[in-house]
Amino acid sequence: MDVLKKVPIKEQDPKVRAKNFEEVCLGYTLDEAVAEASRCIQCKNAKCIKGCPVSIDIPGFINEVVNKDINEAYQIINKYSALPAICGRVCPQEVQCEQVCIRGIKGDPVSIGKLERFVADWARENGIKPSQPKNKNGRKVAIIGSGPAGLTCAKEMAEMGYDVTIFEALHEPGGVLVYGIPEFRLPKEAVVRPEIENVRALGVKIETNVIVGKSVTIDELMNDEGFEAVFVGSGAGLPKFMGIPGENANGVFSANEYLTRSNLMKAFDSSYDTPIITGKKVAVVGGGNVAMDAARTALRLGAEVTIVYRRSEEELPARIEEVHHAKEEGIHFQLLTNPKEILVDEKGWVKGMRCVRMELGEADQSGRRRPIEIEGSDFILDLNTVIMSLGTSPNPLIISTTKGLESNKYGCIVVDEATGLSSREGVFAGGDAVTGAATVILAMGAGKVAAKAMNDYLLSKNV
Ligand code: FAD
Ligand code: SF4
């Protein structure tokens, strides 16, 4: 075995997987996991821990994999994370723990994410559960939203003894983990639901179909229903559009709507009565993970798919692994290209998109080179469906219905970063509701920080 190289991981063949919704990555076997774990040199001052937003004891759990004590490896991870099978699959490890892994200086970093996934899958398949909280203090806290931020805050508060209730607007808990990220990257029944059940098993109640701001307000929860503190983890579910002509045509979707229909309403499963109309030729506008997910979903639903992105490949914000998988599966890329108008037929349906070529100028405020239109370079893409994936912002409902809750110009809740405390006493917030669209692990980190601060606040209130 070459210790400089990661133990390769099996994946479904691109030609086969382009036609199904089963998981792309097949995971390590025990022997492969032990071999990969043996590449870790157990650094004394482990940089990987500092690179992890929830500070998992990475060398500690990896060492237990080497010892083949996977139960212990799982219990170590579980002290820090409620969602290891999920994070092992979707966290951008290449810019976090693996980016700073000492092994990566000469050769490949240790495959930390794939090892985390192995441990969590093994624990689930072998019926191993996280340990239960011992003491209950009977004090009630409410969590709004059941995405990674809310679930993490709920786990931490339940472990500290609080009586925790999550209020979730949709009929199923999980946030983007269930309605956004597709099955072929993150299986719902096999992976997401069991990790949510582990949080529920700590005594956390999850009330679905409750839209806070409509069914009940934060003020009512705190003043009438006895919740002493509230954590808002309501995410950033409001899609952005370009504002170009033709955007209201039939056949134009936001990536959110497209993916929600596929994931939550099972549009990809022919045995359900909730199909989605996908034309034969689809363009996805945008270059992030969400755009890759929408493109790869449309491909699996039988379309020929093109990603349209105004900068170059270097600036694509999606994870490298996702871009690589999309290319392998046959997604086309029109880079340095910007849509100008969606062309509509006489019945109001999309028939094409007029685009213009771009070139990169000086760096803008974001540090990335600004795309500039090349005059006279217009061309038409022949299409039936356009999926807009241009980012999202928080839904204004909670802010507009809660007294004293401040937001910034992007519609995000303003909090003290160190504690997650908002401008309203007793109300904490974190995850995409505060940052706008970010990542699973950052949302989890924010849930954890807020839980600690909520506990401090409640203890001080008690005195
Ligand atoms: P969410 O996951 O959005 O959860 C918020 C929850 O709050 C939702 O369930 C919502 O229904 C609920 N809610 C909203 N308003 C109310 C209300 N008024 N009352 C009650 N409930 C409410 N990140 C990665 O790290 N890796 C990836 O590969 C990745 N891929 C992604 C792919 C897609 C398609 C998308 C959309 C995002 C992706 N992300 C990825 C980003 C990541 O999923 C989010 O950053 C993360 O889920 C944010 O967590 P959250 O808990 O803040 O919010
Ligand atoms: Fe192991 Fe890499 Fe972490 Fe060092 S930095 S302890 S080699 S995973």
Side-chain angles (χ1 to χ4, degrees):
M1 173 186 150
D2 181 355
V3 292
L4 296 184
K5 292 258 169 250
K6 286 182 176 184
V7 172
I9 199 150
K10 287 182 215 62
E11 289 177 346
Q12 265 199 81
D13 181 85
K15 285 204 185 73
V16 177
R17 71 180 193 238
K19 295 195 171 72
N20 69 48
F21 276 82
E22 276 144 44
E23 197 174 4
V24 170
C25 177
L26 303 174
Y28 281 144
T29 62
L30 176 62
D31 287 344
E32 287 166 343
V34 171
E36 180 60 19
S38 308
R39 296 181 59 236
C40 170
I41 55 174
Q42 294 289 315
C43 310
K44 284 266 171 310
N45 180 18
K47 289 197 172 163
C48 53
I49 301 180
K50 296 194 184 84
C52 169
V54 295
S55 308
I56 293 177
D57 176 6
I58 292 167
F61 97 76
I62 290 183
N63 193 37
E64 296 304 340
V65 177
V66 176
N67 296 336
K68 296 195 182 173
D69 189 346
I70 313 301
N71 181 3
E72 188 51 30
Y74 178 69
Q75 299 302 342
I76 292 174
I77 298 177
N78 195 259
K79 279 188 205 147
Y80 305 87
S81 167
L83 311 172
I86 293 166
C87 287
R89 286 170 166 81
V90 302
C91 272
Q93 295 100 9
E94 66 279 7
V95 293
Q96 292 172 337
C97 53
E98 293 185 19
Q99 188 178 49
V100 290
C101 169
I102 216 81
R103 265 276 177 224
I105 294 175
K106 196 175 164 205
D108 292 343
V110 175
S111 229
I112 301 168
K114 302 284 191 280
L115 288 174
E116 181 185 25
R117 167 198 164 124
F118 167 78
V119 169
D121 287 357
W122 191 94
R124 186 183 63 247
E125 284 155 16
N126 288 279
I128 293 169
K129 297 276 174 203
S131 36
Q132 296 295 308
K134 290 186 187 65
N135 303 315
K136 290 270 172 208
N137 62 22
R139 300 180 73 177
K140 281 170 65 175
V141 296
I143 312 268
I144 301 171
S146 61
L151 289 169
T152 302
C153 189
K155 166 188 156 60
E156 299 285 319
M157 293 307 282
E159 285 176 344
M160 287 186 258
Y162 290 93
D163 179 349
V164 184
T165 306
I166 298 182
F167 296 98
E168 168 55 50
L170 296 175
H171 63 275
E172 185 165 347
V176 167
L177 307 175
V178 291
Y179 75 74
I181 305 180
E183 276 287 320
F184 53 84
R185 281 212 292 135
L186 189 60
K188 312 303 162 212
E189 194 58 43
V191 175
V192 179
R193 282 180 200 125
E195 294 210 322
I196 293 173
E197 284 315 306
N198 284 345
V199 175
R200 224 194 277 259
L202 300 172
V204 172
K205 296 181 252 320
I206 305 182
E207 290 196 21
T208 52
N209 298 313
V210 181
I211 305 177
V212 175
K214 270 199 193 294
S215 326
V216 66
T217 63
I218 289 185
D219 293 318
E220 285 164 351
L221 288 174
M222 297 183 87
N223 298 335
D224 308 336
E225 299 200 18
F227 290 97
E228 293 187 63
V230 173
F231 173 77
V232 184
S234 50
L238 194 67
K240 293 182 186 156
F241 286 90
M242 293 189 79
I244 56 174
E247 236 175 346
N248 289 327
N250 297 323
V252 180
F253 295 88
S254 70
N256 266 46
E257 180 191 346
Y258 193 80
L259 289 166
T260 304
R261 281 172 178 272
S262 176
N263 280 320
L264 214 53
M265 298 170 73
K266 301 278 182 284
F268 68 86
D269 185 338
S270 56
S271 64
Y272 278 71
D273 293 334
T274 43
I276 191 168
I277 293 177
T278 294
K280 282 277 159 252
K281 291 194 170 184
V282 175
V284 178
V285 181
N289 283 322
V290 183
M292 298 304 142
D293 283 345
R296 295 171 70 200
T297 297
L299 180 91
R300 283 161 171 77
L301 291 172
E304 184 187 336
V305 188
T306 306
I307 296 264
V308 176
Y309 179 60
R310 64 195 185 129
R311 290 183 157 99
S312 72
E313 175 146 7
E314 219 170 285
E315 288 86 20
L316 275 172
R319 290 186 68 192
I320 296 165
E321 183 177 85
E322 301 313 326
V323 177
H324 171 70
H325 281 154
K327 282 186 177 170
E328 273 187 341
E329 289 166 9
I331 305 280
H332 308 294
F333 284 74
Q334 284 278 359
L335 300 169
L336 289 165
T337 301
N338 205 28
K340 297 289 284 179
E341 178 186 4
I342 293 168
L343 308 174
V344 187
D345 71 13
E346 61 290 351
K347 291 193 172 142
W349 287 86
V350 172
K351 64 173 185 182
M353 189 160 73
R354 188 165 62 80
C355 300
V356 64
R357 299 279 181 213
M358 312 291 281
E359 60 189 354
L360 294 179
E362 298 295 311
D364 61 17
Q365 279 171 338
S366 72
R368 295 182 304 172
R369 290 175 64 196
R370 188 194 301 272
I372 303 166
E373 274 186 33
I374 301 175
E375 222 175 292
S377 64
D378 294 34
F379 67 100
I380 307 278
L381 278 177
D382 181 21
L383 301 168
N384 331 98
T385 301
V386 176
I387 303 172
M388 291 292 180
S389 180
L390 306 160
T392 51
S393 58
N395 187 308
L397 183 62
I398 289 183
I399 292 162
S400 64
T401 56
T402 310
K403 284 192 203 95
L405 199 60
E406 257 179 53
S407 61
N408 63 20
K409 63 178 178 180
Y410 305 108
C412 300
I413 299 174
V414 176
V415 297
D416 173 343
E417 263 181 46
T419 60
L421 178 62
S422 74
S423 51
R424 165 76 192 268
E425 195 196 329
V427 178
F428 297 75
D432 285 5
V434 164
T435 55
T439 64
V440 169
I441 195 77
L442 289 177
M444 290 174 65
K448 213 168 176 167
V449 163
K452 185 178 175 304
M454 270 167 101
N455 181 45
D456 292 346
Y457 163 77
L458 290 166
L459 291 178
S460 71
K461 208 177 147 208
N462 208 18
V463 173

